[in-house]
Amino acid sequence: MKTLLLTGFEPFLHFKKNPTMEIIKELDGQVIGEWKIAGRIMEVDFNKSGDQVIDYYEEVNPDAVISLGLAGGRTHITPERIAINCNDGEKDNSGYVPAGEKIAADGQDGIFSTLPVSDMVQRLHENGYPASISNSAGTYLCNHVMYRMLYHLQKEGRDIPAGFIHIPASHDMAVESRRLPSWSQSDLNAAIRLCIETI
């Protein structure tokens, strides 16, 4: 059976929870379609998270990689189309503030996802879930991890499905913020299952 590495993040910035952690807890060890899921959690740390996703990749030796991240404020499940070679944004959980530096000195400006992002969006629509392709993973840790993983696979010359999916906040997060769009955790879990089944 094929193995899929599924990663999420710990809470960050002003968010006290991160629903990607709950997805990882729910799906780790499960079989979804032809995929055995290996779930892992990463730190929100520019100096650690990129190395962590590569370490997890080396440990699991997966046939596909999906990293998940919270996009508080988004209303859709949004598979990311491209990662850019840039770290920027607010401080991470260690207090480090990136200042527009390159992720890989010899890397190209952008690397496209190798996930079937259009098919994922269509599958989610068919099942009644709001979804759209995102053309910007930002410049924070989500983009960093996506770029590091795709860059590593390029260096290895390994062509496997890999990329990043952003998810909205969960309802329990929205309880603390009236302006935060949210989904139920069960719907978030189900939506990522559908994305995995699409590969």
Side-chain angles (χ1 to χ4, degrees):
M1 177 168 286
K2 295 181 179 180
T3 302
L4 185 144
L5 172 61
L6 185 67
T7 72
F9 280 108
E10 64 186 2
F12 64 102
L13 297 177
H14 60 280
F15 299 113
K16 296 179 181 178
K17 298 180 179 180
N18 192 327
T20 66
M21 292 183 69
E22 300 307 314
I23 295 173
I24 300 306
K25 291 177 185 176
E26 174 72 20
L27 300 187
D28 180 35
Q30 292 196 16
V31 175
I32 300 174
E34 62 182 45
W35 301 100
K36 176 70 176 292
I37 308 304
R40 301 290 188 272
I41 301 296
M42 293 182 297
E43 296 179 53
V44 177
D45 187 321
F46 278 99
N47 292 312
K48 294 180 180 179
S49 61
D51 290 338
Q52 282 181 324
V53 73
I54 303 305
D55 288 345
Y56 290 147
Y57 168 80
E58 298 290 349
E59 170 198 341
V60 173
N61 190 28
D63 303 285
V65 181
I66 296 177
S67 292
L68 304 176
L70 167 66
R74 288 192 190 180
T75 58
H76 288 45
I77 298 289
T78 51
E80 297 294 343
R81 193 190 301 273
I82 190 170
I84 63 171
N85 191 5
C86 179
N87 288 331
D88 203 13
E90 299 183 65
K91 67 180 179 181
D92 64 17
N93 285 358
S94 74
Y96 175 73
V97 180
E101 67 267 17
K102 283 191 171 185
I103 296 170
D106 62 343
Q108 62 204 82
D109 291 340
I111 307 177
F112 283 94
S113 170
T114 53
L115 296 176
V117 293
S118 295
D119 292 342
M120 286 178 170
V121 168
Q122 181 178 345
R123 182 72 178 274
L124 289 165
H125 286 172
E126 290 170 353
N127 286 270
Y129 292 108
S132 57
I133 295 173
S134 168
N135 291 313
S136 175
T139 54
Y140 197 57
L141 265 298
C142 295
N143 175 76
H144 179 87
V145 164
M146 180 181 178
Y147 190 95
R148 283 289 304 273
M149 188 71 258
L150 292 171
Y151 177 76
H152 183 77
L153 290 170
Q154 276 192 349
K155 286 287 191 182
E156 279 201 335
R158 191 165 184 220
D159 184 19
I160 64 171
F164 200 97
I165 301 173
H166 267 117
I167 68 169
S170 54
H171 289 334
D172 58 351
M173 295 178 67
V175 168
E176 301 176 5
S177 174
R178 295 181 181 180
R179 298 183 179 182
L180 192 63
S182 63
W183 288 31
S184 70
Q185 187 67 55
S186 60
D187 278 347
L188 292 171
N189 295 353
I192 297 305
R193 283 178 177 274
L194 289 169
C195 289
I196 293 170
E197 290 174 0
T198 307
I199 303 175

